[in-house]
């Protein structure tokens, strides 16, 4: 089997596994959920998260039973291996939306080889949307995607993503200010993978954070942006990886401005 065939197989499985998890999440959506805190007041989890992750893992293990899985919940490993194949899973990205009955949540699965994505899926079941990326391109519900072609920052919409907790709320304020000073408008969606997917689709023009995000919150969507013609870097302007600090994504046309906004969050504006 050629490398392309193997990557096709992994990209297809990412969609099926994400569908399996999203179906479990949707079944419990807007039911009487018991909400638990994992740490901070806004870091919540439900049994639906765990059940959805199990459904994703079961689907993966049917075809690749011995491959590492990086997952948000339970005892799955939390770091992406440097070498070989692995899977990165977020069973419900946007759990705070989910527990409030807001439709914007999803299941994200990325297949990686030597730390680099070869296929990914983000399924937003309450919206009926499936974003997927593989050797044949990046799609939303089978329609091919491309990032926006906007070049004027004052026409762009940028999203601050990944949550700043209460002890870093001044950074959240700085992110808002930096975006409002440069761009036409701002969105905060409460679902990092959906935000990234929407940059790939051209619905948003940029996404910024200065923190080191978890791979399950970012790898699938970042891969889709690149496949759709966009740019994803760290705060230094270098190519973003799953272990980078900061994530700055854009349509490429306004990346310098998006990067400046991201650097202002913690006062790291460069000339």
């Amino acid at each position: 089997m050629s490398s392309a065939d193997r990557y096709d197989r992994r990209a297809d499985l990412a969609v099926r596994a994400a569908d399996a998890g999203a179906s479990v999440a949707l079944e419990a959506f807007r039911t009487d959920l018991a909400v638990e805190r994992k740490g901070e007041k806004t870091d919540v989890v439900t049994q639906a998260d765990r059940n959805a992750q199990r459904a994703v893992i079961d689907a993966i293990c049917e075809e690749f039973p011995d491959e590492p899985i990086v997952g948000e919940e339970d005892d799955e490993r939390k770091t992406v291996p440097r070498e070989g194949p692995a899977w990165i899973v977020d069973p419900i990205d946007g759990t705070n939306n989910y527990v409030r009955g807001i439709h914007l949540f999803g299941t994200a699965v990325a297949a990686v080889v030597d730390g680099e994505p070869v296929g990914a899926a983000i399924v937003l079941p309450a919206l009926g949307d499936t974003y997927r990326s593989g050797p044949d391109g990046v799609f939303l519900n089978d329609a091919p995607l491309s990032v926006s072609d906007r070049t004027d920052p004052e026409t762009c919409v940028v999203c601050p993503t990944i949550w700043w907790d209460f002890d870093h709320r001044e950074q959240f304020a700085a992110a808002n200010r930096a975006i409002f000073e440069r761009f036409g408008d701002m969105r905060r969606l409460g679902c990092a993978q959906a935000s990234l997917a929407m940059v790939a689709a051209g619905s948003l023009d940029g996404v910024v954070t200065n923190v080191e995000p978890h791979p399950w919150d970012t790898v699938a969507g970042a891969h889709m942006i690149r496949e759709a013609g966009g740019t994803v870097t760290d705060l230094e302007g270098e190519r973003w990886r799953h272990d980078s600090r900061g994530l700055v994504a854009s349509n490429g046309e306004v990346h310098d401005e998006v990067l400046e906004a991201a650097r202002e969050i913690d006062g790291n504006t460069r000339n």
Side-chain angles (χ1 to χ4, degrees):
M1 183 182 294
S2 69
S3 295
D5 289 338
R6 289 198 299 272
Y7 292 166
D8 276 334
R9 182 182 174 194
R10 291 176 184 279
D12 289 344
L13 178 55
V15 177
R16 296 199 307 276
D19 273 335
S23 295
V24 171
L26 185 61
E27 185 175 357
F29 182 52
R30 290 185 171 174
T31 64
D32 187 16
L33 296 167
V35 180
E36 308 165 36
R37 288 183 189 167
K38 293 191 287 185
E40 302 295 337
K41 293 180 180 180
T42 57
D43 189 8
V44 298
V45 67
T46 70
Q47 188 59 43
D49 293 81
R50 301 185 183 102
N51 293 345
Q53 179 160 292
R54 176 46 52 193
V56 172
I57 291 171
D58 287 347
I60 293 169
C61 287
E62 284 184 7
E63 292 195 40
F64 298 101
D66 300 320
E67 294 187 352
I69 295 175
V70 180
E72 181 175 10
E73 310 303 342
D74 297 332
D75 296 326
E76 302 305 323
R77 66 177 292 157
K78 305 304 177 188
T79 58
V80 179
R82 288 176 174 270
E83 297 181 351
W87 299 84
I88 305 172
V89 175
D90 194 337
I92 301 180
D93 188 37
T95 300
N96 273 293
N97 285 347
Y98 183 76
V99 301
R100 291 173 177 268
I102 298 171
H103 285 72
L104 193 58
F105 65 89
T107 301
V109 178
V112 300
V113 176
D114 299 334
E116 291 294 330
V118 298
I122 300 168
V123 179
L124 310 179
L127 300 180
D129 285 341
T130 295
Y131 296 83
R132 64 177 178 86
S133 181
D136 57 341
V138 57
F139 301 85
L140 168 58
N141 300 336
D142 295 326
L145 295 185
S146 176
V147 296
S148 75
D149 60 0
R150 297 181 185 89
T151 59
D152 181 354
E154 293 185 3
T155 68
C156 291
V157 178
V158 174
C159 174
T161 192
I162 310 298
W163 190 236
W164 290 268
D165 228 315
F166 283 96
D167 55 347
H168 292 93
R169 200 50 62 92
E170 77 284 353
Q171 295 183 15
F172 186 25
N176 292 342
R177 183 174 60 251
I179 290 170
F180 282 133
E181 288 175 350
R182 288 174 172 80
F183 302 104
D185 205 348
M186 185 188 84
R187 300 287 186 276
R188 176 167 160 74
L189 304 181
C191 180
Q193 293 281 22
S195 302
L196 295 167
M198 289 179 187
V199 174
S203 304
L204 297 174
D205 305 293
V207 162
V208 299
T209 187
N210 66 324
V211 305
E212 182 178 334
H214 298 299
W216 48 82
D217 288 326
T218 50
V219 170
H223 177 58
M224 291 178 186
I225 292 171
R226 286 179 175 143
E227 292 296 297
T231 301
V232 190
T233 70
D234 62 14
L235 291 175
E236 302 297 329
E238 301 296 328
R239 186 179 188 275
W240 183 85
R241 280 176 44 87
H242 58 81
D243 53 359
S244 296
R245 177 175 178 262
L247 186 153
V248 186
S250 77
N251 66 359
E253 299 289 345
V254 294
H255 196 77
D256 287 347
E257 290 84 357
V258 178
L259 187 57
E260 285 181 10
R263 287 170 171 171
E264 276 196 17
I265 296 172
D266 59 359
N268 282 337
T269 304
R270 280 103 166 146
N271 294 323

